[in-house]
Structure formats: structure tokens, C-alpha cells
Amino acid sequence: MRRFENRVALVTGASSGIGEAIARTLAQDGAAIALLAAPTDSDDLERVRDDLTALGAETIALAIDIGDTAAAETAVRDTIEAFGRLDFVVSNAGIVNYVDFLQETVDDLDRMLAVNVRGAYWLAVAASRAMTDGGAIVFTASVSGWLGEELQVAYNTSKGAVLMAVRTLALELAPYGIRVNGIAPGYIRTRISEGRLPDAAYWAKARSRIPLDRPGEPSEVASVVTFLLSDEASFVYGTIVPVDGGQSAGLRSSDWEAVAQPLEPRAIRTVTYDT
């Protein structure tokens, strides 16, 4: 019997990259999958659903913006209507922008927190109410949640919040038999990162922070997530597992020179306040 036979998983951010790899791995191991992605990614979402259906998996595709306040309850309701139960949630949806802190706008920050924090939070609430026989939740955080990085203040702040949600929810939900854990990916080859990896200067700086000296693959993240969802991780609660090629372990001494290269100077925005 496959590990996730007769189990149902809801995976957000499932239209590409890490979310797609997680959904694919779960489906191959027998789970029925509710795939969720933003309406703007509906074409890719349908492609993933068709691929998994061709593999024999039971699937539904939910084109829902997880940043919307009603999205979480809608996603959980539709999953249970389709499959009769909910066992696993992989809260993987996230957005990132690279912007000078002094140029950040309120709209930028609000959107980042709506998707990366509020959406993940309310999905955990809605899913926990539906997991009558226990279950497991895995959040996709990031090494950026505990390692500072320039031009990512809003993103890193949001992922730091996710890390704390993992630890606290694990305590809150343990009495209900719901395990909560998280992963902290580093540089993974996804649609978002591939737009930056061809930049030689960017990648030289990035690779200097990765002892394994390469970006990771979505399948390498998926294998960790499926372990955390499985019964093999039955005594694992409140843990955040880095999947980062050693990035969070520290810098390689041979690369200090590369890391120390100064950034291009940026103009500082001056704000004048009325007094």
C-alpha cells in the first residue's frame, strides 16, 4: 500500500515549482489532491491537474487567491465536498518582490502579508476545524525568515512570521492530533528564481552563501515535505527543516571575498515631515 492511500491533501501554490513537485510526489504516493493556485496561474494549474489525473490521481483544481479573506474556508469546503475529508495541508503559496526598503509602498507590504501570512494563517484555522481525525500541516517558510538579505525586508518579515506560526501552532494543535511543521527552502530552481539566476553578479553572490554550491531542485524540497506529512514523522512537532544546501549553516570562509563585494550605491529617498 502506498504511504498516502486514502488520504487527502490540499496544496497551495501548486501550479509550478515547489508546490507542483509536492503535489506530484503526494499523488504518486496515493493521495487525492486539491490543487490551489491564484486565478492568474489557472492555465498552469489546469496543466498540473491534467498531468496528475493522467497518472491516476484523484484531483481537483481550485483557482483561488489565498490572499482573499474568504479563500481559506472556500478551499477547505471545496476539498471536503470533492473527497469527503482532509488529512494534509501544505501551505506553500507565497509571493516575493525585490525592492529597496525606502521605496516600499503600503500596497506592496499589504499584499505580501496578505498572501504569505494572513492566507497561510486562515488556511490553518479552516483546515484544523475540518481535520476531525487529526492530520498534518506543513508551512513553506524560507531561510530568508531567519537570515537577512538586502532588498527583501517585506518578504523576510513575512517568512519570519511563518516560522513563528509553525512553532506556536504546533503547541496549539497538538492536543487535537494535528502535527504542524515547516520547511525553510534556500535557493531553489523555480519560476521565480530562474529569472534571477542568469544574472552572473547575482548568482556569484548567491552561490557564495551555499556550501553545496548549487541551487536546489523542487523535488528535493518535496521529499522533505512528504516525510513530514507521513506517519514516519509521527513524533515530529514544531520543527522547521532547512532545505538549503547548507546556507543556514554559515558562510564558507573561501567565499568571504565574494560576499564582501559592495552593493551598487543606491540613492536615499529624503522624506520631509511637516512640523
Side-chain angles (χ1 to χ4, degrees):
M1 188 178 194
R2 293 179 292 177
R3 281 193 300 177
F4 302 118
E5 204 80 48
N6 301 320
R7 303 286 188 91
V8 176
L10 169 61
V11 181
T12 71
S15 60
S16 66
I18 292 172
E20 177 181 352
I22 292 167
R24 191 174 299 277
T25 303
L26 285 167
Q28 290 170 342
D29 228 341
I33 311 288
L35 305 158
L36 188 148
T40 52
D41 295 323
S42 58
D43 288 347
D44 280 332
L45 185 65
E46 295 294 333
R47 172 187 56 79
V48 175
R49 185 195 63 181
D50 292 345
D51 286 351
L52 298 188
T53 301
L55 293 174
E58 294 183 78
T59 62
I60 59 170
L62 306 173
I64 297 173
D65 179 1
I66 198 64
D68 185 274
T69 53
E73 290 191 7
T74 298
V76 169
R77 183 193 66 231
D78 289 354
T79 299
I80 292 176
E81 285 181 357
F83 302 118
R85 59 184 293 154
L86 177 62
D87 301 284
F88 308 129
V89 168
V90 182
S91 192
N92 172 73
I95 59 173
V96 62
N97 64 348
Y98 302 96
V99 61
D100 188 308
F101 172 65
L102 297 178
Q103 304 301 324
E104 194 89 55
T105 69
V106 171
D107 287 344
D108 290 338
L109 179 60
D110 285 352
R111 179 61 181 164
M112 185 78 65
L113 296 177
V115 175
N116 294 4
V117 181
R118 188 179 68 195
Y121 186 101
W122 287 115
L123 181 59
V125 172
S128 298
R129 289 172 174 161
M131 290 177 171
T132 55
D133 297 323
I137 301 172
V138 173
F139 289 86
T140 299
S142 171
V143 293
S144 297
W146 60 57
L147 297 176
E149 190 169 7
E150 60 276 359
L151 303 180
Q152 292 184 209
V153 176
Y155 178 75
N156 290 24
T157 298
S158 72
K159 290 302 184 178
V162 173
L163 292 173
M164 187 51 66
V166 169
R167 296 187 175 101
T168 309
L169 279 173
L171 303 177
E172 188 84 6
L173 296 177
Y176 301 96
I178 300 172
R179 292 186 300 106
V180 182
N181 292 290
I183 55 166
Y187 290 88
I188 307 298
R189 197 185 303 276
T190 66
R191 185 167 57 190
I192 292 175
S193 67
E194 283 185 338
R196 303 194 82 200
L197 291 176
D199 182 332
Y202 168 80
W203 176 234
K205 192 175 185 72
R207 73 180 292 187
S208 70
R209 296 167 170 168
I210 309 171
L212 201 54
D213 202 32
R214 67 170 176 83
E217 300 296 334
S219 60
E220 294 177 298
V221 181
S223 63
V224 177
V225 172
T226 51
F227 163 72
L228 291 173
L229 293 175
S230 74
D231 292 340
E232 296 162 11
S234 57
F235 203 57
V236 182
Y237 274 73
T239 293
I240 297 110
V241 181
V243 191
D244 63 0
Q247 182 181 350
S248 56
L251 296 170
R252 297 177 293 180
S253 60
S254 61
D255 290 311
W256 276 111
E257 184 176 347
V259 177
Q261 294 300 313
L263 294 171
E264 289 294 323
R266 299 194 294 272
I268 300 299
R269 183 178 63 174
T270 301
V271 179
T272 302
Y273 295 95
D274 294 329
T275 57

